[in-house]
Amino acid sequence: MDSGADKMIAPATTLKMSIKTQGSTSCMDKRFNKVTLPTELSPGLCEFVGAFIGDGFTDRGKVVALMGDVELDADYYVYMDNLVSNIFELNGKLVKSNFSNSASLRFYSKVMCSFFYEYFNFPKKEKTYSVRLPEVILNSSEKNKLATIRGIYDTDGCVFFDKRPIYAKPYPRIVLDMKSK
């Protein structure tokens, strides 16, 4: 059973939004991209936030992005692009690195960046040593908390079998590896 009630998202006026619709708020970025901001937490939004905690970044207050391997994470990029499109009605752009096998799925939106800064209290600068689970998620339903953990684990977790000789059979390991001080 869910222990916490889902919280309503901050009033639209804080993000200079215009059109109110059921369950979401639509607004226009300067580039005239329509961006729909949710008015309530959902498991999908929380999963994206979890992925952002694990492998995400913002760029100059204009881009929300997820980093990964261009080949190994190809299916995950498609999944995340669809998830974000369903939540924010905004499509991402996959940007490949010229110097490595990495890529970033980028969502170009100042409004979305402001939403992440103001509602989830993510830092505007590097988040490596300072990111925390947002209070609004910690105080929400069990479904939302689990979805957030799923997003974090999808980006920073792994399962493998430890085959060292000390074990009679391969021993399953579950690992969550995040950078810390």
Side-chain angles (χ1 to χ4, degrees), residues 11-42:
T13 54
T14 62
L15 297 175
K16 300 176 185 167
M17 292 174 242
S18 56
I19 308 164
K20 185 83 174 171
T21 59
Q22 184 179 5
S24 63
T25 302
S26 297
C27 55
M28 303 294 270
D29 259 338
K30 280 191 176 182
R31 291 182 173 177
F32 300 106
N33 294 324
K34 180 183 173 193
V35 178
T36 301
L37 295 180
T39 56
E40 294 180 357
L41 282 175
S42 67

Side-chain angles (χ1 to χ4, degrees), residues 3-4 46 137-150:
S3 59
C46 290
I137 291 175
L138 291 174
N139 294 325
S140 74
S141 70
E142 185 175 334
K143 264 186 175 178
N144 288 338
K145 291 174 195 169
L146 291 174
T148 306
I149 292 168
R150 174 184 172 165

Side-chain angles (χ1 to χ4, degrees), residues 72-117:
L72 298 175
D73 295 327
D75 291 339
Y76 192 65
Y77 284 137
V78 172
Y79 174 76
M80 276 292 141
D81 191 34
N82 288 331
L83 183 68
V84 171
S85 179
N86 287 332
I87 297 168
F88 294 97
E89 295 183 24
L90 183 66
N91 292 316
K93 180 179 180 184
L94 189 62
V95 178
K96 297 177 185 176
S97 171
N98 293 328
F99 307 105
S100 67
N101 207 31
S102 66
S104 58
L105 178 61
R106 295 173 173 247
F107 300 94
Y108 294 89
S109 171
K110 287 182 180 181
V111 172
M112 190 175 174
C113 276
S114 293
F115 179 70
F116 268 60
Y117 298 149

Side-chain angles (χ1 to χ4, degrees), residues 41-59:
L41 282 175
S42 67
L45 175 59
C46 290
E47 182 177 354
F48 180 61
V49 168
F52 177 81
I53 288 170
D55 280 347
F57 66 93
T58 58
D59 187 8

